[in-house]
Amino acid sequence: MDLKSLVRDIPDFPKPGILFRDITTLLRDPEGLRYTIDFLTQKCKEAAITADYVIGIESRGFIFGSPLAYKLGVGFIPVRKRGKLPAAVHSIEYELEYGTDCLEVHQDALPEASRVLIVDDLIATGGTASATAKLVQKIGCKLVGFAFIIELQDLQGRKYLPDVPIISLIEY
């Protein structure tokens, strides 16, 4: 299946000069969504990624991370923006193009030494994925890989990630 054909390009969003890769058109296609999850699962197995948990990065990482965790037979853990989780959290601040942001995970979400696969819809500059990896390692867990639906290769986000398997289904 040609997944690229299911992704809509929106020029000048969220600001002039940006070409936004919109996955909502992929999500609304039942066959495309099923294929995406099945293909992502296959790629994880081919890469010999063995995880105890899938972490989905807010918010589109939840969309793909939950069914991937189901297919892999492991638990799902959400990593959220600051203030969204109700119990005690581990947190990490990270740099954005203009300022900083913060990611959090519940303190009781991941047992120490758990093997973790991080999932998001897209990797661009790699900042959010890198911060999530640092959060996982700070907790004492083992990062076993990353899985993305889309990779924007020109932004070279992959080079900012730890040396573990990195899966991307669509490359631009």
Side-chain angles (χ1 to χ4, degrees):
M1 176 174 282
D2 179 16
L3 289 177
K4 269 188 183 179
S5 69
L6 298 176
V7 176
R8 174 174 44 193
D9 293 342
I10 301 178
D12 300 319
F13 183 84
K15 61 183 184 180
I18 302 292
L19 180 61
F20 187 81
R21 306 295 183 171
D22 179 22
I23 62 162
T24 61
T25 46
L26 181 150
L27 294 172
R28 76 175 180 208
D29 185 285
E31 289 178 34
L33 179 57
R34 186 177 311 107
Y35 178 83
T36 299
I37 299 303
D38 289 345
F39 192 36
L40 201 56
T41 303
Q42 175 189 329
K43 289 291 193 182
C44 288
K45 290 179 178 179
E46 287 172 2
I49 293 173
T50 304
D52 300 309
Y53 298 96
V54 168
I55 279 186
I57 301 173
E58 185 168 342
S59 66
R60 291 179 299 265
F62 301 172
I63 296 168
F64 298 104
S66 294
L68 178 61
Y70 171 78
K71 296 281 279 186
L72 294 175
V74 302
F76 175 79
I77 308 294
V79 166
R80 309 270 338 247
K81 301 288 178 140
R82 183 188 319 264
K84 302 285 186 174
L85 293 171
V89 296
H90 293 290
S91 62
I92 190 163
E93 287 201 12
Y94 64 104
E95 297 293 321
L96 296 171
E97 189 176 350
Y98 301 105
T100 62
D101 208 344
C102 180
L103 294 171
E104 297 179 334
V105 64
H106 277 138
Q107 286 181 2
D108 63 357
L110 294 164
E112 196 171 320
S114 297
R115 297 167 299 179
V116 176
L117 170 65
I118 296 173
V119 177
D120 207 355
D121 67 321
L122 180 138
I123 179 171
T125 62
T128 305
S130 176
T132 305
K134 288 175 185 164
L135 180 60
V136 163
Q137 292 166 334
K138 174 180 160 183
I139 295 169
C141 295
K142 180 178 180 171
L143 178 64
V144 296
F146 292 92
F148 305 101
I149 307 309
I150 297 172
E151 181 174 358
L152 304 179
Q153 292 182 308
D154 288 349
L155 297 177
Q156 300 179 12
R158 180 182 284 253
K159 76 180 183 182
Y160 300 104
L161 302 181
D163 186 22
V164 295
I166 301 170
I167 295 163
S168 57
L169 302 184
I170 304 170
E171 297 171 345
Y172 289 97

